[in-house]
Amino acid sequence: MTVLPITIWGEPVLHRRASEVEVFDDELRTLIADMIETNEAANGVGLAAPQVGVGKRIFIFKYANDDDAPDEGVVVNPVLTLSKVSGALPDPEEHIEGCLSFPGESYPLQRAEWARVQGFDGDGRPVDFVATGWFARVMQHEFDHLDGKLYVNRLVDRYSKKAMKQAKKHGWGVPGLTWMPGVDPDPFGH
């Protein structure tokens, strides 16, 4: 297994819809193993293939939950069914979210409280579970990456402006920027 560099906001693969996985083979299983290793080194709760520069509809997760769902796994070609998202403003302490591809920054975002996750594992077997609370947030966050969205694209105006100021300050928004888990300092201080 290999730890892969994580792409930073502005890398084109992060901003376009990822393509469906058509072949479940050893190459796919190696990518999944590398994503798991990368997520572990980055102290993440999830990682989508575009975050390691691969435009495929795959994400992995590792999040202890109280749902009747696995605490870790992979979902290939996922489909999410969501409960309604509250129209209330996000709570700046309760709804804070961060992203390995927008490293070191965190902003509040309102998400659906419930998500049904369907897709396939790395061998092409069906996956189907329900996630609630923070686990549902993780599923939505990773799924968004597959549609070319980062959580900062969903922020309400006042937080969006703050995020874009930080992106400019860091010099993000251009292709070719990455950080290396286990080598570069942990941007979230874990």
Side-chain angles (χ1 to χ4, degrees):
M1 294 182 289
T2 303
V3 174
L4 304 170
I6 295 179
T7 58
I8 294 176
W9 184 79
E11 184 63 35
V13 71
L14 289 172
H15 304 287
R16 64 176 173 252
R17 187 180 193 282
S19 60
E20 301 286 326
V21 170
E22 296 178 6
V23 179
F24 291 79
D25 58 7
D26 287 342
E27 185 177 329
L28 175 67
R29 286 182 283 281
T30 297
L31 173 61
I32 291 167
D34 291 347
M35 288 173 63
I36 291 168
E37 186 79 10
T38 302
N39 188 60
E40 190 71 29
N43 297 301
V45 295
L47 188 70
Q51 292 183 273
V52 293
V54 178
K56 293 290 183 183
R57 296 188 74 76
I58 307 161
F59 69 75
I60 60 97
F61 62 92
K62 183 175 184 179
Y63 185 83
N65 66 82
D66 295 329
D67 297 314
D68 187 22
D71 287 346
E72 57 187 90
V74 59
V75 187
V76 178
N77 297 337
V79 174
L80 261 62
T81 306
L82 305 176
S83 63
K84 185 177 178 184
V85 178
S86 168
L89 287 174
D91 183 305
E93 294 188 23
E94 295 293 319
H95 300 136
I96 201 82
E97 199 164 313
C99 180
L100 296 174
S101 289
F102 208 85
E105 303 296 331
S106 299
Y107 302 96
L109 176 64
Q110 195 69 266
R111 293 271 194 189
E113 283 293 314
W114 178 93
R116 181 177 181 191
V117 181
Q118 296 171 289
F120 302 92
D121 69 10
D123 294 314
R125 292 184 298 256
V127 170
D128 189 345
F129 60 87
V130 170
T132 60
W134 274 97
F135 188 40
R137 177 178 294 274
V138 171
M139 297 298 99
Q140 293 166 78
H141 181 109
E142 299 311 327
F143 183 82
D144 274 354
H145 279 298
L146 306 182
D147 284 341
K149 291 183 176 77
L150 277 73
Y151 85 104
V152 294
N153 300 121
R154 294 191 177 277
L155 298 174
V156 296
D157 281 348
R158 95 174 177 204
Y159 297 117
S160 178
K161 287 176 184 171
K162 287 180 181 183
M164 292 309 105
K165 246 185 208 178
Q166 287 303 311
K168 185 176 181 179
K169 176 183 160 192
H170 293 300
W172 300 339
V174 296
L177 300 177
T178 62
W179 69 277
M180 193 68 184
V183 174
D184 294 325
D186 184 324
F188 292 99
H190 296 109

